[in-house]
Amino acid sequence: MCAVLMGAIPVEGATPARPASFEVKGRAGSLGQLPVVSLDDGGSYVSAERLASLLKGSWSVKGPRATLTVSRRTAQFTRDQARLTVAGEALTLEAPARVTSKGWLLPEGFLAKGLGKLAPGITAARPMAAVESRPRLKRVNTSVPFEELRYRSYPSFTRIVVEAGAELSYLVAPGQKEIRVRLSSLAVPALRVEGIDDGLVKEVRLESTGPDALLKIVLEGRAADVKTASLQDPFRVVVDIYRPKESASQGAPKTNGGVTPLQLIVMDAGHGGHDSGAVGPTGVMEKDVVLDVTRRAARMVEEGLGIKVALSRSTDVFVPLRERTNFAN
């Protein structure tokens, strides 16, 4: 029998398997909810400013570094770095601190490994999700257009992405030989089959089944874990199938020093074409500046490091966001 995992969008008759927030508690009780933010890397993050507010502390940023202070104790973060200092003690998390349009985001691992050191007696945990009845997909009145099915194999996991024209709910049923994802109201015009054969996933099949679509992920190896997430702009359902640790270490190409060599860097010059970006007081356009900087950086990397660089655009043209992400992935 297969276990059923709930999609990130609420479904009728049940709460999601992974609640969308942490409950922060102190000795006197609950301090409030800390919403979870999912990024393209598949990780879960929380707002640094929101956490500081719940802890009645302060959050300060200076360049690429930031400090969370609670009752004279500090946690010091560096942008895009997993290593930090908490109450004078060095700590390394599984994911780095990120900076997005939502501000500074801290990986959820900090709540488990660093919060207790920063604020003794304070904990953060996801509330238990009580399933009240058999889960059912949340229906919409109109069909959701299908945009794209794609995949990428990594040394430690394989990622399957289904992109849709609007939000939809989904149910995941993982099994030993096959993983099934039912996508509510997704209109798939014809059967789509992608052969992967990477030692973990044999193939993926996306087909119409009644008012919904069914994604079948056929396994050819043993999956250690399956994680799902839904992301916005554009909307997509992401399924990550992880290899056992011993298989992942065997599948990654390594140098004599045991480090996986970097072979390609993708650089994305924003804006372009009709999208000028910001315009300076003398008429200089952001699209021209970022393109010039990107070209220079690409040349320096290729000549200085010997690593191949691919540019999302090399001329003054507009490239849609979806094409940029597809190019990079």
Side-chain angles (χ1 to χ4, degrees):
M1 181 178 293
C2 295
V4 177
L5 304 180
M6 309 305 302
I9 296 179
V11 296
E12 297 176 357
T15 55
R18 288 178 64 82
S21 64
F22 285 91
E23 183 177 11
V24 181
K25 291 184 177 181
R27 294 186 176 93
S30 177
L31 301 179
Q33 299 293 317
L34 191 59
V36 174
V37 179
S38 297
L39 297 184
D40 281 332
D41 61 7
S44 296
Y45 296 79
V46 297
S47 167
E49 293 185 356
R50 173 62 176 167
L51 178 59
S53 175
L54 292 178
L55 299 178
K56 299 188 183 305
S58 64
W59 175 256
S60 60
V61 177
K62 187 175 182 180
R65 294 180 174 81
T67 302
L68 175 59
T69 304
V70 180
S71 300
R72 297 184 180 181
R73 289 174 176 253
T74 62
Q76 298 175 321
F77 301 86
T78 302
R79 178 175 182 167
D80 296 329
Q81 296 292 324
R83 186 175 177 83
L84 65 148
T85 302
V86 184
E89 179 182 340
L91 182 66
T92 301
L93 303 177
E94 295 180 356
R98 301 290 192 190
V99 181
T100 70
S101 59
K102 301 178 184 296
W104 278 71
L105 300 177
L106 308 181
E108 67 171 315
F110 172 72
L111 302 178
K113 297 182 178 180
L115 183 58
K117 301 178 186 295
L118 175 67
I122 303 296
T123 61
R126 294 179 186 263
M128 293 297 293
V131 177
E132 298 176 353
S133 62
R134 183 177 179 180
R136 291 178 289 121
L137 288 175
K138 183 178 180 180
R139 301 289 179 192
V140 295
N141 294 329
T142 58
S143 61
V144 176
F146 164 73
E147 296 293 342
E148 188 178 12
L149 170 65
R150 58 183 182 269
Y151 70 90
R152 173 72 66 174
S153 294
Y154 298 92
S156 60
F157 69 99
T158 300
R159 170 165 292 178
I160 314 296
V161 179
V162 177
E163 185 175 320
E167 287 191 3
L168 53 79
S169 62
Y170 62 94
L171 293 176
V172 184
Q176 292 185 348
K177 296 183 178 181
E178 185 177 84
I179 300 168
R180 295 192 172 198
V181 184
R182 181 174 289 272
L183 302 152
S184 174
S185 305
L186 182 65
V188 179
L191 172 66
R192 303 292 295 269
V193 180
E194 294 284 352
I196 299 180
D197 296 315
D198 62 359
L200 177 60
V201 177
K202 179 177 179 58
E203 67 176 18
V204 292
R205 302 171 63 89
L206 182 63
E207 58 188 337
S208 177
T209 171
D212 306 322
L214 182 64
L215 175 69
K216 295 181 181 179
I217 304 172
V218 182
L219 303 176
E220 60 179 353
R222 182 172 67 87
D225 193 12
V226 178
K227 295 183 179 180
T228 62
S230 62
L231 303 174
Q232 302 290 336
D233 300 324
F235 181 84
R236 52 212 186 274
V237 175
V238 180
V239 183
D240 289 339
I241 304 100
Y242 287 82
R243 302 175 184 271
K245 290 185 177 180
E246 61 273 14
S247 299
S249 61
Q250 293 172 1
K254 295 185 177 181
T255 63
N256 293 334
V259 179
T260 302
L262 184 62
Q263 299 177 339
L264 175 67
I265 295 176
V266 176
M267 293 188 179
D268 178 29
H271 309 291
H274 65 80
D275 180 7
S276 63
V279 180
T282 61
V284 176
M285 298 183 183
E286 184 180 359
K287 67 174 184 177
D288 297 327
V289 175
V290 295
L291 180 58
D292 180 62
V293 171
T294 302
R295 285 172 171 171
R296 292 170 184 261
R299 186 165 57 250
M300 292 173 64
V301 169
E302 289 185 333
E303 294 177 356
L305 301 178
I307 300 174
K308 182 180 179 181
V309 176
L311 302 181
S312 61
R313 70 178 182 97
S314 57
T315 59
D316 183 19
V317 295
F318 176 76
V319 181
L321 176 61
R322 184 155 64 91
E323 292 184 17
R324 293 176 189 265
T325 56
N326 289 349
F327 179 77
N329 292 324

